[in-house]
Amino acid sequence: MYSVSIYSSRITFPLCFARHTWVVLESPVFGVKRYEIHNFKNHSTDTFLYINNQKPNEGMNIFMIPGLYKSKKCFRATCHAIYSGNDMKQIVEYIETIIPKYPYLRKYILFPGPNSNTFTKWIFKKALPHKVIELPWNVFGK
């Protein structure tokens, strides 16, 4: 089965009034992958992109200092959309090819963006332009 999902969670303290989004892809070829942009660099790729940094449906850590401390408790994640079925095969494969082409892999600005929410919106605009995704008011980003 192939699927594309969008999730969100409250952001780590002290900005927990806002929400962070990410994309989850599922394929019989590679299993399940969670893609997201964080506000701290992934030193293994020298970008802000993280793949499978957390479980697909796990929310953000309530408190975190990158590289030093992560609380074990996480905010609850909300799934906003799931598109699944064998007809999603081409879309999942397409998303896999466009992620490395995201224009802001090496740039992050908390507000107004580009940020994690800019990434999620960019993927859906490119891969599923005919779908309307209703995200909460507190999903900030260009």
Side-chain angles (χ1 to χ4, degrees):
M1 173 89 83
Y2 292 87
S3 71
V4 178
S5 308
I6 182 171
Y7 286 86
S8 79
S9 166
R10 288 171 55 190
I11 295 177
T12 301
F13 180 83
L15 300 171
C16 47
F17 61 88
R19 297 190 74 84
H20 166 81
T21 59
W22 63 93
V23 175
V24 175
L25 301 180
E26 185 175 357
S27 160
V29 176
F30 58 73
V32 178
K33 287 186 183 177
R34 173 178 173 157
Y35 292 93
E36 62 197 314
I37 296 288
H38 277 291
N39 64 332
F40 48 91
K41 261 198 177 167
N42 179 342
H43 294 292
S44 63
T45 63
D46 197 36
T47 69
F48 291 95
L49 177 66
Y50 286 80
I51 302 169
N52 293 333
N53 191 47
Q54 289 177 258
K55 294 175 187 170
N57 61 350
E58 182 178 49
M60 299 293 292
N61 296 86
I62 292 174
F63 185 76
M64 181 171 70
I65 301 171
L68 298 175
Y69 177 77
K70 242 189 208 187
S71 64
K72 292 185 181 183
K73 289 191 176 187
C74 295
F75 289 114
R76 185 178 320 165
T78 302
C79 182
H80 297 283
I82 299 176
Y83 304 102
S84 61
N86 288 328
D87 58 326
M88 293 300 294
K89 179 182 181 197
Q90 287 181 313
I91 292 172
V92 168
E93 290 170 350
Y94 175 67
I95 292 172
E96 282 270 295
T97 65
I98 66 168
I99 286 174
K101 298 172 185 167
Y102 176 61
Y104 305 112
L105 284 175
R106 289 180 172 76
K107 182 177 182 179
Y108 185 96
I109 299 171
L110 182 64
F111 186 80
N115 58 31
S116 63
N117 302 327
T118 310
F119 174 70
T120 304
K121 291 174 185 177
W122 181 83
I123 287 175
F124 272 81
K125 190 175 178 180
K126 291 276 194 187
L128 296 160
H130 54 288
K131 302 285 186 187
V132 175
I133 298 161
E134 294 294 327
L135 295 173
W137 67 270
N138 52 351
V139 172
F140 304 112
K142 290 182 179 182

